[in-house]
Structure formats: structure tokens, C-alpha cells
Amino acid sequence: MSSVLLAVTRRDLLLARRRRVEALLPLGFFVVAAGLFPIGVGPEPQMLRTIAPGVVWVCALLAAMLSVTQMFASDHQDGSLEQLLLAPQPLVAVVLGKVLAHWLSSGLPLVLAAPLLGVLFDMRGTAIGVLVATLLLGTPVLSLLGAVGGALTLGLRSGAALVFLIVLPLTIPALIFGTGAVGAVEGGQSPQAHLSLLGALLIAALLGAPWATAAALRISLD
């Protein structure tokens, strides 16, 4: 199962490297959208620190949703997804490999760009560190839930809009815990409770989302 996961991950990363513009689109949207807020609300440092966690997390959420519809779409169009379903390897391992590749190409760049946005919003060093930690825990959740939505809407004309409607309500807990952890640090409190809940959410998504995605793929391709 691990060899299948690594093979699928390596394959999708190679494909993402060939389509660099599509791979960098979520990162570009994330940086540009979040960077416009300090210009719009003004240079007041306290105001920027207050809105920073919510702005960064909402932009990260929307950026992640831009690419989840393509997680299975290209394989569905060229027929390779059907071959993966017919292969003797576990479909769950294939799903995990594609989710891991999606996070490495779309989610991890958002985490790496977060400190730059933290400086832009005049956040303190400890708050920036917690923001990066919450995104490191939360962006895999977005990829896992996005895989479920992408599988359910596979082959539909309005799939992108349906993915937003299906996935966005499920990501609200991650948004709450992520922004709450940074807000707790800014208020002089410990972010441990919020980080623990975010970690528990990641574990729950890892235990349920791959199997739900595999079932949705079989239903979509029947």
C-alpha cells in the first residue's frame, strides 16, 4: 500500500511540475487576495493584527478550493482513473497518494508563504509561528475534504460550484480552530486547546475522508 501511495504521489507531482501555471495559481491567489486587505482597511497595526488570522485562513481556504476539482478531473478525462479503479491495488492508497500530492503542490506553498503575510499584517513572532502551525495542521484537512467533494462532482458541468457548496460547510471547524489559536496567542492565552482540536480534526479526516472519496469515485464512474 505504501509503494502505491508513493508511486501515485510521485506521478502527480511530476504532472504538476509540467503544469506549473495551474500549480502556482492557488499560491498566487492566496498572496494577492490576502495582501490586498492591508491596503483596503488601512495601516493601523492593531486592526491588521485583529483581522490577520481570519483573512489568512479564509484566503487559504478559498485558494485550496481552486485546485481540488482538478485532483481527479485530468485522470478522468484521459481514462487513467478507470484503469486505477480496475487495478488490484487498494483504491484508498491511490486516493491518499493523490491527496498527498495535492497538498505538497498546493497546500504546502500556502504554509511557506504564511510568514510573509504575517509580517505584512504586523503580527508578532509568536503569533506568526502559531499561524504557520495551524495552517500546517489545517491545509491537509482542506485537501482531504476537497478530495471528497471533487470525487462526488466528477464529470459534472458545474462541478466547481458544487465543490464549494459541499466542502465549504465542512471546513468551518478548521477555520474556527485555526483562527482561534492565533487569537488566543494575541490575547495572551495558550493556543494548545485550539491546536489539539485542529489535530483531532486532521486525524478524523484521515480516518474517514479517503474511504469516502474512494466510494464516491466508484459511484461517479458507474
Side-chain angles (χ1 to χ4, degrees), residues 62-95:
L62 295 177
M65 293 300 101
L66 289 176
S67 57
V68 293
T69 55
Q70 300 300 318
M71 197 180 301
F72 304 105
S74 59
D75 290 338
H76 177 60
Q77 291 171 0
D78 62 19
S80 58
L81 187 59
E82 287 83 353
Q83 299 300 318
L84 290 174
L85 264 70
L86 294 174
Q89 292 83 6
L91 184 57
V92 172
V94 175
V95 170

Side-chain angles (χ1 to χ4, degrees), residues 164-209:
F164 272 88
L165 294 176
I166 293 171
V167 177
L168 283 180
L170 301 176
T171 59
I172 290 177
L175 177 65
I176 293 173
F177 300 146
T179 56
V182 183
V185 171
E186 292 287 358
Q189 301 175 354
S190 173
Q192 187 61 44
H194 297 279
L195 292 175
S196 299
L197 290 171
L198 198 56
L201 186 62
L202 174 58
I203 294 173
L206 279 171
L207 292 176

Side-chain angles (χ1 to χ4, degrees), residues 20-185:
R20 294 181 182 179
V21 175
E22 294 181 11
L24 293 176
L25 180 61
L27 177 61
F29 173 85
F30 176 63
V31 173
V32 172
L36 289 175
F37 276 86
I39 300 174
V41 302
E44 176 61 35
Q46 186 58 43
M47 174 65 73
L48 292 178
R49 294 192 200 104
T50 302
I51 67 172
V55 169
V56 173
W57 254 94
V58 168
C59 291
L61 173 59
L62 295 177
M65 293 300 101
L66 289 176
S67 57
V68 293
T69 55
Q70 300 300 318
M71 197 180 301
F72 304 105
S74 59
D75 290 338
H76 177 60
Q77 291 171 0
D78 62 19
S80 58
L81 187 59
E82 287 83 353
Q83 299 300 318
L84 290 174
L85 264 70
L86 294 174
Q89 292 83 6
L91 184 57
V92 172
V94 175
V95 170
L96 283 172
K98 297 186 79 64
V99 170
L100 179 58
H102 175 268
W103 181 77
L104 290 174
S105 60
S106 300
L108 185 59
L110 305 184
V111 179
L112 298 177
L116 174 63
L117 295 178
V119 173
L120 186 64
F121 281 89
D122 198 34
M123 297 176 65
R124 299 180 179 90
T126 53
I128 293 177
V130 173
L131 177 64
V132 172
T134 59
L135 289 174
L136 194 60
L137 291 171
T139 48
V141 176
L142 304 182
S143 295
L144 287 163
L145 296 178
V148 179
L152 288 172
T153 59
L154 188 64
L156 300 180
R157 289 184 178 180
S158 56
L162 289 175
V163 166
F164 272 88
L165 294 176
I166 293 171
V167 177
L168 283 180
L170 301 176
T171 59
I172 290 177
L175 177 65
I176 293 173
F177 300 146
T179 56
V182 183
V185 171

